[in-house]
């Protein structure tokens, strides 16, 4: 699903970002993560889901440059990840 979610091109993703289509119109970008400082800008896109797994952690979706997979991941709520609001 990653290829359908990711923005096409390398304006906001490290190279290579080939095979992406943005078919869904989500236009995910490699916004990285903020934990004391920014890390993985243009290389990784982390997006919170609405599902908490504990008091300290929550699910997120993780996209990586050079990969067209959308990974399910769990991160600490103290981390700053990207958020996208989806209109019904």
């Amino acid at each position: 699903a990653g290829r359908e979610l990711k923005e096409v091109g390398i304006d906001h993703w490290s190279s290579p970002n080939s095979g992406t289509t943005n078919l869904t119109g989500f236009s995910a970008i490699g916004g990285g993560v903020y934990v004391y400082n920014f890390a993985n800008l243009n290389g990784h896109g982390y997006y919170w889901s609405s599902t908490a797994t504990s008091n300290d952690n929550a699910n997120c979706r993780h996209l990586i440059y050079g990969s067209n997979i959308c990974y399910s991941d769990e991160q600490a709520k103290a981390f700053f990840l990207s958020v996208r609001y989806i209109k019904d």
Side-chain angles (χ1 to χ4, degrees), residues 2 6 24 47 51 53 63 66 71 74 76 79 82 85:
K6 288 167 60 179
T24 63
Y47 292 85
T51 308
T53 56
L63 301 161
Y71 299 92
E74 182 178 331
F79 294 176
S82 298
Y85 293 96

Side-chain angles (χ1 to χ4, degrees), residues 20-77:
T20 58
T21 64
N22 194 29
L23 186 65
T24 63
F26 188 78
S27 300
I29 63 171
V33 60
Y34 185 88
V35 183
Y36 306 113
N37 60 21
F38 281 102
N40 297 321
L41 285 174
N42 295 349
H44 296 251
Y46 297 89
Y47 292 85
W48 285 121
S49 82
S50 59
T51 308
T53 56
S54 70
N55 286 336
D56 297 323
N57 297 327
N59 285 330
C60 68
R61 299 299 176 258
H62 182 189
L63 301 161
I64 304 171
Y65 84 97
S67 173
N68 288 316
I69 298 171
C70 181
Y71 299 92
S72 290
D73 202 353
E74 182 178 331
Q75 295 289 336
K77 291 178 183 178

Side-chain angles (χ1 to χ4, degrees), residues 3-26:
R3 84 179 66 238
E4 290 86 11
L5 293 168
K6 288 167 60 179
E7 176 184 76
V8 176
I10 56 171
D11 288 341
H12 299 106
W13 285 103
S14 298
S15 182
N17 190 31
S18 57
T20 58
T21 64
N22 194 29
L23 186 65
T24 63
F26 188 78

